[in-house]
Amino acid sequence: MNLQDYVDYFKEMRNREIAWTATDREDGILQMGYPKYDSLMLKFGQEFLKSSYCDPHYRKTLKQHHIKLKVNHSTVGQVMLQKDRKLIEAMLTLIIRSEPFDEGSWAKALQEGYFYRLTNALIDLEEQVV
């Protein structure tokens, strides 16, 4: 998986509106569905889970660093400050794994710039090693 293939997309998606499916029910109430992610976001999710970046022990990794298992400015900021590859991978894994349980979590991560900041940080760390 090449993170460079996605970082520009993540940068563009900051503060952008994500479309959601919606259903008009017979009683006139509009029922929200799920986010309509584009093919690049779906591809990233699939590739990430199969890649070496995915941390199967992400919960343990985050807890060891006293980071709550929540995706918000505070937790992403804590991860970014530590500049630790394993911690960044764990946070990205948390975000990717959260979508099936919390529809729209990817949308929030795109809009808030979490995907951009975290993938960009991983790219920077990889370039420092080379």
Side-chain angles (χ1 to χ4, degrees), residues 9 13 16-20 35-38 106-108 110-111:
Y9 164 75
M13 292 305 291
R16 298 241 348 256
E17 197 66 33
I18 307 289
W20 284 65
K36 294 182 188 177
Y37 295 116
D38 56 33
W106 287 3
K108 179 182 176 186
L110 284 167
Q111 291 168 326

Side-chain angles (χ1 to χ4, degrees), residues 9 13 18-21 34-43 99 102-110 115:
Y9 164 75
M13 292 305 291
I18 307 289
W20 284 65
T21 62
Y34 51 87
K36 294 182 188 177
Y37 295 116
D38 56 33
S39 60
L40 197 56
M41 183 62 227
L42 295 172
K43 183 180 175 193
E99 182 67 23
D102 182 19
E103 286 183 343
S105 58
W106 287 3
K108 179 182 176 186
L110 284 167
F115 277 122

Side-chain angles (χ1 to χ4, degrees), residues 2-126:
N2 184 356
L3 294 176
Q4 201 68 50
D5 294 343
Y6 300 97
V7 74
D8 288 338
Y9 164 75
F10 292 146
K11 185 176 184 177
E12 287 177 23
M13 292 305 291
R14 294 176 303 168
N15 300 312
R16 298 241 348 256
E17 197 66 33
I18 307 289
W20 284 65
T21 62
T23 306
D24 284 324
R25 297 188 345 196
E26 288 180 20
D27 58 7
I29 296 174
L30 180 68
Q31 182 175 358
M32 293 305 291
Y34 51 87
K36 294 182 188 177
Y37 295 116
D38 56 33
S39 60
L40 197 56
M41 183 62 227
L42 295 172
K43 183 180 175 193
F44 177 80
Q46 292 169 345
E47 280 191 21
F48 183 87
L49 291 173
K50 296 174 187 172
S51 76
S52 61
Y53 295 111
C54 184
D55 178 358
H57 308 288
Y58 68 98
R59 291 174 172 272
K60 182 179 178 182
T61 303
L62 293 168
K63 285 180 181 178
Q64 284 176 336
H65 289 86
H66 309 288
I67 295 174
K68 293 181 180 177
L69 298 174
K70 295 184 183 257
V71 181
N72 57 36
H73 288 292
S74 176
T75 57
V76 172
Q78 286 177 293
V79 167
M80 295 299 295
L81 285 173
Q82 296 199 34
K83 298 179 182 174
D84 179 304
R85 178 188 171 110
K86 286 292 178 196
L87 205 48
I88 295 168
E89 291 172 349
M91 181 55 74
L92 275 169
T93 305
L94 172 65
I95 295 170
I96 292 295
R97 294 245 187 237
S98 66
E99 182 67 23
F101 307 104
D102 182 19
E103 286 183 343
S105 58
W106 287 3
K108 179 182 176 186
L110 284 167
Q111 291 168 326
E112 297 292 334
Y114 303 154
F115 277 122
Y116 173 66
R117 291 173 59 202
L118 293 164
T119 55
N120 203 38
L122 271 180
I123 290 167
D124 288 347
L125 288 171
E126 288 176 347

